[in-house]
Amino acid sequence: MPRRDRIKPSFEDDESFENEFDYRYKRGKEQTSLNSDNENSESGSGSEQEEHENEHDVDDEMASISFGALNRAQARLKQEQLRRSQRDYESDSDSDSAPEETSSSSQPTNKKRSKHAPAVSSTKKPVSRIRDIPGLPSRKSQTLHSDIRFDAAYGKADLNQARKNYAFLDEYRKQEIANMESILKDKKSKLNESEKEEIRLQLQSLKSRMDSLKNRDLENLILKEYKKKQYQNVKEGKSSQPHFLKRSDKRKILQKAKFDSMKPKQRERAMERKRKKRLGKEFRQLEFRPLN
């Protein structure tokens, strides 16, 4: 048998092939439309024969077109279909209400967060105007109404020096105590019982404050004298190094100095308070407690 040679498709990029394809395709469509219009006027047998001949001519013309032109025409048709479908989709989306777009941050990510990444805070929470400064006490540990004289930003506070600087306030406190006592002793005063009771409470509070200040001054004075004595002994060679007091020894020395500075009646009251406190502690230890 004779071997048939295969026809290799030629993929040429010349635009003449595309133009030729378009021309022949349009010509074939025109001829088929003319034949369909002339079907009613001509006889059945003649029209069928002419239609068959026209289709044969169109097939011959289509067979002579190269494969490259056919591929390009097919690609162009696909592009037109895509554009048409895209237009239909856009028209549908414009007519319908567009759904709200979710932000990319709201989508959960499986990526592990680095420990060195900056902290993420909500934008709904207002940022405080007062920022915490490293090295200074935070706002949580302090109250809003704080004394700037003892603020760490102005250096370390020296309470002993502040006590010396404001020692003149003790005179004003003594005058206030004397005025309150005179008001309470005055029988001609027009104060009612509630006002007198309020003055008594203020007087008691002021007296207790004066006593606490005196005790603190006495403690500072005793400890200062003890340290001075220890350093003097080191200078004189009586001891190689100063002796620093423990808490228990410090408490004993302060208690002895307080009793020595008290009057006899004050000493008796203090001893009575200590005795009652000790008895109450012993009774609490000896009282019967039911087993759970």
Side-chain angles (χ1 to χ4, degrees), residues 24-57:
R24 292 183 180 182
Y25 182 72
K26 290 178 182 178
R27 184 180 174 188
K29 287 182 72 177
E30 289 175 358
Q31 288 180 358
T32 52
S33 62
L34 288 172
N35 291 331
S36 61
D37 293 337
N38 295 328
E39 280 181 356
N40 297 326
S41 60
E42 296 179 355
S43 60
S45 60
S47 61
E48 289 178 0
Q49 187 176 1
E50 288 179 359
E51 184 179 354
H52 182 68
E53 290 177 357
N54 290 331
E55 287 178 358
H56 185 68
D57 294 338

Side-chain angles (χ1 to χ4, degrees), residues 87-114:
R87 286 195 208 105
D88 296 340
Y89 177 75
E90 288 177 356
S91 62
D92 294 339
S93 63
D94 292 338
S95 61
D96 299 336
S97 60
E100 296 181 356
E101 296 181 357
T102 56
S103 60
S104 60
S105 61
S106 62
Q107 296 178 357
T109 56
N110 296 327
K111 189 176 179 181
K112 188 176 180 181
R113 185 176 176 80
S114 175

Side-chain angles (χ1 to χ4, degrees), residues 229-258:
K229 187 177 180 180
Q230 290 294 322
Y231 284 116
Q232 190 69 24
N233 292 336
V234 172
K235 282 184 179 180
E236 293 176 358
K238 294 181 180 179
S239 60
S240 59
Q241 57 183 3
H243 175 68
F244 295 98
L245 291 172
K246 297 180 181 178
R247 286 187 178 179
S248 58
D249 298 336
K250 190 186 292 184
R251 195 182 303 115
K252 288 177 183 178
I253 291 172
L254 293 174
Q255 193 171 6
K256 184 177 180 300
K258 284 179 184 178

Side-chain angles (χ1 to χ4, degrees), residues 255-275:
Q255 193 171 6
K256 184 177 180 300
K258 284 179 184 178
F259 277 112
D260 293 340
S261 63
M262 285 181 182
K263 295 178 181 179
K265 288 185 179 180
Q266 292 178 346
R267 196 180 297 116
E268 288 178 3
R269 289 175 189 169
M271 292 296 291
E272 187 68 20
R273 283 198 300 270
K274 287 182 72 67
R275 188 181 66 81

Side-chain angles (χ1 to χ4, degrees), residues 52-68:
H52 182 68
E53 290 177 357
N54 290 331
E55 287 178 358
H56 185 68
D57 294 338
V58 171
D59 292 338
D60 292 340
E61 290 178 356
M62 295 291 288
S64 63
I65 298 173
S66 63
F67 285 102

